[in-house]
Amino acid sequence: MLSNLNLDPTAIFCFALGTFIFLQWRRRKSMEAEAAEAKERAAKIARETPSAPKGDLTAAELAQYDGSDENKPVLISARGRIFDVTRGKDFYGKGGPYNKFAGKDASRALAKMSLEDDDVRNPDLSDLSASEIDTLDQWILKFEMKYTEIGKLVPEESKKSQ
């Protein structure tokens, strides 16, 4: 049946090219609309997300950002570096599976992949294996890629002398 149509190859090519261009244009418009919507959602989240303090904090100051107050950001320290993990509050905020880490230096617990209170409260890393240190470094890389580092965890004495 198609052999009886006697279609010009140039006409077929032009039709196919036109269809391709139209579909690409429509796809691009759709992607631009999705990008604009995503940008607006991100702006809304930024407006609604409490801003984290910038600078160094002591353990007592860090403890105030444990996710229990929805008007404050959620912070976690790993190897003395403090990260604003508020964007991940479903994980680290109140009721989240990793909320035990919030407002603390969670280095040991992260390294050991542990939710045990003893590991969460203990800042000592001296007895960790090389594998556990590597695990901690992987967590820190994840935090660096996903969250903002806002400062360092400092001893109480260093804040008092300032």
Side-chain angles (χ1 to χ4, degrees), residues 29-30 37 54 63 66 76 84 103 106-107 109 131 133 135 152:
K29 287 294 181 187
S30 174
E37 287 173 16
K54 302 285 186 233
D66 64 356
I76 289 179
D84 179 355
S107 300
S131 172
I133 293 294
T135 299
K152 303 280 184 214

Side-chain angles (χ1 to χ4, degrees), residues 13-124:
F13 174 77
C14 289
F15 175 77
L17 181 61
T19 302
F20 175 77
I21 290 171
F22 171 76
L23 292 174
Q24 289 296 95
W25 172 81
R26 203 166 107 192
R27 181 173 161 246
R28 182 177 177 160
K29 287 294 181 187
S30 174
M31 289 172 64
E32 287 172 354
E34 287 176 20
E37 287 173 16
K39 189 175 182 180
E40 179 55 36
R41 280 192 308 271
K44 182 180 178 192
I45 290 169
R47 285 190 302 270
E48 294 172 354
T49 302
S51 62
K54 302 285 186 233
D56 300 341
L57 300 174
T58 64
E61 292 168 330
L62 177 63
Q64 298 173 30
Y65 302 96
D66 64 356
S68 60
D69 183 346
E70 301 225 353
N71 295 315
K72 290 184 178 180
V74 181
L75 305 180
I76 289 179
S77 175
R79 273 209 177 168
R81 298 168 63 186
I82 301 173
F83 295 91
D84 179 355
V85 297
T86 307
R87 281 188 280 153
K89 66 183 171 188
D90 291 343
F91 294 101
Y92 303 107
K94 187 176 182 179
Y98 301 114
N99 177 248
K100 284 185 173 194
F101 301 157
K104 298 175 187 71
D105 180 354
S107 300
R108 183 178 187 84
L110 292 168
K112 295 176 86 51
M113 301 284 286
S114 169
L115 292 172
E116 298 296 321
D117 288 336
D118 289 343
D119 291 324
V120 173
R121 285 193 221 114
N122 184 354
D124 183 25

